[in-house]
Amino acid sequence: MTTKFPKDFLWGASTSAYQVEGAWADDGKGPSVQDVKEIPAGTTDFKVAADHYHKYEEDVKLFKELGLKAYRFSISWSRVMPNGVVNPAGIAFYKKLIQLLIDNDIQPIVTVFHFDLPVWIAEKGGWENRETIQDFADYCQVLFNHFGQDVPLWQTINEQNVMALAGSVIGTSQKSMKEKFQENHHMLVAQALVTKQFHEGNYKGKIGPAPNIASVYPASDKPEDQMAALYMSALRNWLFLDVAVYGKYNHNAWHLLEKIGAAPEITEEDYAILAAGTCDYIALNYYNTMTVSSYYQKENKIDQQSGFGIPGFFQTAENKNLPMTEFGWPIDPKGFRFTLNEIYSRYRLPLLITENGIGAKDVLTKDGKVHDQYRIDYLEQHIAQMGLAIEDGVEIIGYCPWSAIDLISTHEGITKRYGFIYVNRTETDLLDLARYKKDSFYWYQKVIADNGLGE
Ligand code: BG6
């Protein structure tokens, strides 16, 4: 147990616009790719979600009661610019939300893009079209103009690495590796351009990327498995962070992309933008580590956490040392400490954890309780390991578990819940959408009040 957290540590919680807001077509909002994608059978769509758009005042009141020092959320591009033109009602919603958070001493932490590309951008080619770089920069400039002085921590793109490597799972892309890594390159350039814009605007805050980072273990002590882990980590982790921090592609990732014929076309101007728009800090989402062996053909399941194989380089292996969540994701709190150390020793920038949590089938009892001891256990173990990482010397500025309140999972509906606050609805029935505090709510409230887990 530890109380090694700095005095001003940002104990927070996280959500994303399309998964929590609902109001998918209200007040001039345009559709995003998440509103029009094919929804897996038996799971809800995102039209109402947790109805946070209409209930944000009640929700912020609960966040205050929870004791949150920070709330990490995303802004919906298609609410703010439904057709390339600013929607005043969209701006007004986020202005009210941000002001309410500030009035309640909750620091707003904003991600500008979290999986919900506007349909009007997707229709002209999405990220494969270079024009999207400028569209994104224009959208971000609108956000900086309105909120640049009020938001101290910005993230450019949520889990760009997951969109590149598992876009078909989360419903953001269905393309070939070559096309995906060209899209990915445009996103990296867009991120750098926006970072540069932010720095030139002299706003008070800091800006950084928010990839999903997971250390990669070799499946055995065989040298070829070590090399497989090195390559998986280069493709999954360092490609994204090396560009964000150093403005350069990681050499192993680049070699792999060339070998599989997926290296993107890069212009001279792109290199200059990448070098000029490097980040101030690193936000990261952590759910679990990964384990790989050298490639030996086998059917490989694609999932945003478990990954896949690349012939000649690596393939995902099962790690028998780790327990699983009921949705089949490994649980690895020690891997969290390892991952934080690995990132910090490579980049030496402050880290902000923007997601970490357990998806579970929570049950609301007749007397309005949710006994989610498994969530308390999961979070407690991760917080303890984060404390040890701080003792190791890693600079960590905050922890925002996923999620502040129940919301719709990327592809497993509302049945897979993550929140401290239960939202009363099912996949098929909206019921009354009432909010209930789970056991984990009271537990996290105490963690925040004690600034850690106590000695
Ligand atoms: C991250 C995303 O991949 O993990 C979130 O940033 C997502 O949007 C979370 O909800 C949990 O994943 P899932 O698939 O269980 O919703």
Side-chain angles (χ1 to χ4, degrees), residues 19 114-115 158-159 285 287 304 329 355 402 409-411 416 418:
Q19 293 173 277
H114 189 126
F115 299 164
N158 180 71
E159 294 195 354
N285 300 346
Y287 288 89
Q304 76 262 47
W329 287 12
E355 289 184 32
W402 187 262
S409 144
T410 57
H411 62 291
K416 190 183 192 186
Y418 284 88

Side-chain angles (χ1 to χ4, degrees), residues 30-281:
S32 84
V33 292
Q34 299 293 343
D35 296 316
V36 300
K37 76 178 183 190
E38 200 179 318
I39 301 293
T43 65
T44 176
D45 58 28
F46 297 88
K47 294 195 161 79
V48 178
D51 203 25
H52 174 71
Y53 184 80
H54 295 114
K55 292 179 179 291
Y56 73 95
E57 286 173 311
E58 182 184 346
D59 292 344
V60 172
K61 212 165 161 193
L62 285 162
F63 299 166
K64 175 74 181 168
E65 187 184 336
L66 179 56
L68 294 189
K69 310 266 187 238
Y71 172 51
R72 182 258 187 169
F73 60 99
S74 77
I75 290 184
S76 155
W77 185 350
S78 64
R79 193 180 292 290
V80 167
M81 298 187 80
N83 264 309
V85 179
V86 177
N87 171 26
I91 295 290
F93 171 68
Y94 293 110
K95 219 174 200 50
K96 284 186 296 187
L97 175 62
I98 289 170
Q99 194 53 52
L100 189 61
L101 291 167
I102 293 171
D103 292 347
N104 282 282
D105 294 321
I106 302 172
Q107 192 163 303
I109 299 181
V110 170
T111 305
V112 298
F113 173 51
H114 189 126
F115 299 164
D116 51 354
L117 195 70
V119 166
W120 68 272
I121 300 268
E123 277 172 351
K124 48 182 196 132
W127 284 109
E128 219 181 321
N129 180 349
R130 288 191 69 93
E131 271 178 31
T132 301
I133 298 172
Q134 193 54 49
D135 289 329
F136 184 66
D138 293 345
Y139 157 60
C140 290
Q141 192 55 56
V142 169
L143 300 188
F144 298 155
N145 292 345
H146 284 278
F147 312 122
Q149 300 306 341
D150 296 327
V151 174
L153 289 167
W154 293 83
Q155 286 109 46
T156 46
I157 302 179
N158 180 71
E159 294 195 354
Q160 185 180 329
N161 54 338
V162 171
M163 284 191 275
L165 295 165
S168 56
V169 179
I170 55 168
T172 55
S173 177
Q174 305 285 346
K175 302 182 174 173
S176 70
M177 288 294 264
K178 172 80 184 161
E179 289 164 329
K180 280 189 202 171
F181 278 90
Q182 190 64 48
E183 289 186 344
N184 184 64
H185 175 68
H186 294 156
M187 273 192 245
L188 291 170
V189 175
Q191 167 170 277
L193 186 59
V194 161
T195 303
K196 183 169 166 277
Q197 256 169 230
F198 185 79
H199 290 152
E200 286 168 357
N202 286 318
Y203 303 102
K204 280 192 302 216
K206 292 186 167 25
I207 190 161
N212 176 315
I213 302 296
S215 286
V216 182
Y217 300 142
S220 78
D221 55 8
K222 285 190 213 150
E224 52 271 41
D225 288 352
Q226 306 287 328
M227 197 46 94
L230 181 142
Y231 264 98
M232 171 52 139
S233 206
L235 181 69
R236 192 200 183 284
N237 300 315
W238 315 137
L239 184 159
F240 301 88
L241 286 179
D242 280 14
V243 173
V245 178
Y246 304 133
K248 288 188 180 130
Y249 271 85
N250 173 278
H251 64 288
N252 295 112
W254 186 259
H255 170 67
L256 184 153
L257 292 178
E258 277 192 324
K259 277 274 183 200
I260 63 170
E265 313 290 326
I266 305 185
T267 67
E268 283 307 312
E269 198 196 346
D270 291 348
Y271 284 118
I273 295 172
L274 293 182
T278 56
C279 64
D280 304 321
Y281 72 103

Side-chain angles (χ1 to χ4, degrees), residues 291-339:
T291 304
V292 295
S293 67
S294 57
Y295 190 82
Y296 62 93
Q297 296 190 351
K298 183 179 123 213
E299 184 88 22
N300 250 302
K301 158 172 113 88
I302 294 193
D303 178 279
Q304 76 262 47
Q305 295 303 324
S306 63
F308 60 101
I310 302 251
F313 288 94
F314 57 79
Q315 80 174 42
T316 310
E318 194 188 335
N319 187 334
K320 295 204 171 63
N321 301 300
L322 303 177
M324 295 278 190
T325 71
E326 63 181 313
F327 284 89
W329 287 12
I331 302 178
D332 189 5
K334 289 185 181 140
F336 189 30
R337 175 183 180 186
F338 188 85
T339 300

Side-chain angles (χ1 to χ4, degrees), residues 400-430:
C400 300
W402 187 262
S403 51
I405 184 166
D406 283 348
L407 37 69
I408 316 298
S409 144
T410 57
H411 62 291
E412 293 180 290
I414 184 74
T415 308
K416 190 183 192 186
R417 293 171 186 267
Y418 284 88
F420 293 108
I421 300 162
Y422 185 92
V423 174
N424 191 33
R425 59 160 293 177
T426 68
E427 303 293 351
T428 50
D429 195 337
L430 291 174

